[in-house]
């Protein structure tokens, strides 16, 4: 049974930073990509970044420079480091993984439950 468990969300003031974590349980196929997405109220789910075997594959051009994805393969954990946060970054942040896809469209097979980030 595959589980992706996000954590690290919360409320932060504009200009602040957060680090999100995604623990992947029950799925250790290192050939797969894993990525971060976010969804603001009333908006479509948006791809943030994806990695494959620790190497960044895709990054949102609008977020690059403020958001950085990283992967601890030994501990099967994905991170999203978010700096200079803005109110428009307020969203639920999800991690996702699965076979045969590495992009920033929401086409992954497995998804976490999400963690709320609120920037005021």
């Amino acid at each position: 049974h595959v589980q992706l468990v996000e954590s690290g969300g919360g409320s932060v003031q504009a200009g602040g930073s957060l680090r999100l974590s995604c623990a992947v349980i029950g799925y250790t196929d290192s050939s797969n990509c894993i990525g971060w997405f976010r969804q603001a109220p009333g908006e479509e789910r948006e791809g943030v970044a994806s990695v494959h075997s620790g190497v960044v594959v895709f990054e949102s051009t609008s977020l690059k420079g403020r958001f950085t994805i990283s992967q601890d393969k030994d501990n099967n954990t994905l991170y999203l480091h978010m700096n200079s946060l803005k109110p428009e970054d307020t969203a639920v942040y999800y991690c996702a993984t699965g076979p045969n896809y590495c992009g920033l469209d929401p086409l992954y097979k497995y998804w976490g439950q999400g963690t709320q980030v609120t920037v005021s």
Side-chain angles (χ1 to χ4, degrees), residues 41-96:
E43 302 290 331
E44 294 186 351
R45 195 162 293 190
E46 173 190 15
V48 176
S50 62
V51 296
H52 180 272
S53 296
V55 178
V56 177
V57 181
F58 290 105
E59 293 179 290
S60 167
T61 54
S62 64
L63 300 175
K64 187 177 181 179
R66 294 193 301 120
F67 288 18
T68 303
I69 190 171
S70 65
Q71 185 181 28
D72 180 345
K73 292 184 289 179
D74 291 339
N75 292 304
N76 224 16
T77 302
L78 184 73
Y79 299 101
L80 183 66
H81 308 260
M82 305 186 295
N83 298 314
S84 302
L85 283 161
K86 304 175 181 180
E88 50 264 44
D89 295 319
T90 295
V92 178
Y93 285 72
Y94 300 89
C95 60

